Amino acid sequence: MKKQEDGSYVVLNREYKPVGFNTREHIRYEEHPVSSRLKGIGPGTAKKLSYEGNENTDVIYLYNDVCVPVHSKANMDAYLKKLSILAKLDIDTK
């Protein structure tokens, strides 16, 4: 997840494209309606979401090559827990 200048987040796939985009072309996130203002992402939430427990709210990596969710049940369980946290966050529609 990458925080944008306006405070919103773009959820990215492993190719750093917005989820749902299937292209190798460079994507300028601000040219597409792909960001959301997620309420409640502070250092504590970032730490829970980050695969390495990082409190940085600018870029949050849910997993890396060592803990790819489909490589083991433990990895998938950890990933699904992170998605559960994300699913509970409210979206600011203002």
Side-chain angles (χ1 to χ4, degrees), residues 1-2 9 41 45-46 49-50 56-62:
M1 296 173 39
K2 183 165 176 142
Y9 282 88
I41 297 190
T45 303
L49 294 173
S50 168
N56 181 11
T57 60
D58 292 331
V59 178
I60 302 170
Y61 296 100
L62 303 180

Side-chain angles (χ1 to χ4, degrees), residues 19-20 34-35 40 42-44 46 50 55-57 61-63 70 84 89:
V19 169
V34 295
S35 65
S50 168
E55 293 182 346
N56 181 11
T57 60
Y61 296 100
L62 303 180
Y63 63 91
V70 297
S84 174
L89 297 177

Side-chain angles (χ1 to χ4, degrees), residues 4-5 19 21 35 38 40-41 46-47 50 59 62 71 75 80 90 94:
Q4 303 303 292
E5 287 184 22
V19 169
F21 279 59
S35 65
L38 300 170
I41 297 190
K47 185 175 183 175
S50 168
V59 178
L62 303 180
H71 287 177
N75 290 354
L80 292 174
D90 288 328
K94 294 180 184 178

Side-chain angles (χ1 to χ4, degrees), residues 16-86:
Y16 299 96
K17 308 296 185 229
V19 169
F21 279 59
N22 186 16
T23 182
R24 293 184 186 259
E25 294 179 26
H26 175 75
I27 299 292
R28 293 179 44 87
Y29 308 137
E30 63 274 7
E31 293 177 359
H32 303 277
V34 295
S35 65
S36 296
R37 290 184 165 279
L38 300 170
K39 294 181 180 179
I41 297 190
T45 303
K47 185 175 183 175
K48 291 176 187 175
L49 294 173
S50 168
Y51 78 91
E52 58 187 349
N54 192 323
E55 293 182 346
N56 181 11
T57 60
D58 292 331
V59 178
I60 302 170
Y61 296 100
L62 303 180
Y63 63 91
N64 71 357
D65 290 339
V66 174
C67 56
V68 176
V70 297
H71 287 177
S72 75
K73 181 179 181 337
N75 290 354
M76 182 59 79
D77 289 346
Y79 180 65
L80 292 174
K81 184 176 180 180
K82 294 169 196 294
L83 293 182
S84 174
I85 293 167
L86 280 173

